[in-house]
Amino acid sequence: MESFFARMEPWRKPEGSLHLYVLPGEDETERFTAAQSTLTDIEHLPLMPEAYLHCTVQRLAQFDDEVSQSQYTRLGEALEAFCSGMPAFDLQFRSPQADDVAVACWAADSPAWDALVSGCRDVVTDTWGVAPPAPPASPHLSLAYAKGAVPHDLVESRVADVTPLGTVHVSRLHLVSVTVRPERGTFDFTSLANWDLAPTS
C-alpha cells in the first residue's frame, strides 16, 4: 500500500471542504471500531478516529468560507424538501478490504443509495448553480488511510477473519465541513446541519 494522501486530488484548501455525509449510529459504530481494532499498531496506517467515521454521499465544490448565510439557508430548505420525500433505507456492509491506499468496508449495491446521491447532486446543482465533483463509486466507510508504505499482505492477514459488518440504517443526511490532515493520515469534520429522511413503516 502507498499513501492515500499522495494520490488524492489536492483540495484548493485543506480546511472547510463542504460534504454531505451519512454517519453510523452508536451500535453501528461499535461494529466498525471492533473491525478497526484488528489494524492497530501498523506503521503508516493510522486509524480514523471513532468520532469521524462516515460514509461520503457527496463532496461539494464549495468551501465553508465561500458560502453566504442566505446560500446555506436555500440549500438547507432544498435538502429538507428532498429528504422528506426520500424513504430511509438500509445498507449491507461487507468485511473490510484493503486496496492500494486504504482499508474500507464496502456496502452492497443499493438503488436507494444511488437515488440519495443523485438527488443530492441535483439539489446542490439547482440551488447553488455549480455541479459538484464526481461522487464515490459506491457506498463505503473507510477504517484507515495509508500515509506511507504499508505491507498489503500484513493488512489483509489482520482483517481476514473479520465477519461482514452488516446493516447500517440510513435515516439522516449531514452537511459537514471537512479538514484533511495528511500529517496524521486522517480526516475530521464539523457538523453544520442535518435532515431526516422519511420514516418507513
Side-chain angles (χ1 to χ4, degrees):
M1 298 175 68
E2 59 184 274
S3 172
F4 173 92
F5 303 92
R7 277 239 205 133
M8 72 175 280
E9 181 180 348
W11 294 354
R12 290 186 288 110
K13 311 173 190 179
E15 299 181 0
S17 179
L18 295 174
H19 284 62
L20 294 171
Y21 278 176
V22 164
L23 305 180
E26 184 176 344
D27 291 344
E28 296 159 349
T29 297
E30 288 181 1
R31 282 183 265 136
F32 287 107
T33 55
Q36 274 187 315
S37 69
T38 64
L39 300 170
T40 55
D41 301 323
I42 298 178
E43 188 176 10
H44 303 310
L45 191 69
L47 304 182
M48 272 290 292
E50 177 179 338
Y52 299 121
L53 294 174
H54 65 275
C55 301
T56 299
V57 178
Q58 180 64 59
R59 180 167 71 90
L60 279 58
Q62 297 82 1
F63 286 72
D64 59 9
D65 60 354
E66 301 169 347
V67 180
S68 68
Q69 185 57 53
S70 63
Q71 288 174 308
Y72 278 124
T73 299
R74 287 192 292 112
L75 182 65
E77 291 172 347
L79 285 172
E80 182 176 23
F82 166 69
C83 288
S84 68
M86 173 80 201
F89 60 95
D90 290 339
L91 291 173
Q92 300 297 327
F93 279 82
R94 306 184 182 99
S95 301
Q97 289 185 313
D99 60 20
D100 291 342
V101 293
V103 184
C105 299
W106 294 82
D109 292 343
S110 167
W113 178 267
D114 294 343
L116 177 65
V117 173
S118 63
C120 287
R121 290 178 58 82
D122 289 344
V123 167
V124 171
T125 302
D126 292 346
T127 304
W128 283 355
V130 178
S138 57
H140 65 281
L141 188 148
S142 294
L143 303 178
Y145 300 96
K147 65 170 189 172
V150 178
H152 192 275
D153 290 348
L154 171 62
V155 176
E156 287 285 10
S157 69
R158 292 281 194 96
V159 299
D161 295 328
V162 179
T163 57
L165 276 292
T167 301
V168 169
H169 186 60
V170 178
S171 60
R172 184 170 293 166
L173 179 71
H174 297 258
L175 176 66
V176 299
S177 172
V178 182
T179 297
V180 57
R181 302 190 186 276
E183 73 284 358
R184 298 183 187 176
T186 62
F187 294 83
D188 56 66
F189 61 85
T190 300
S191 294
L192 302 178
N194 61 78
W195 303 272
D196 289 336
L197 276 60
T200 55
S201 55

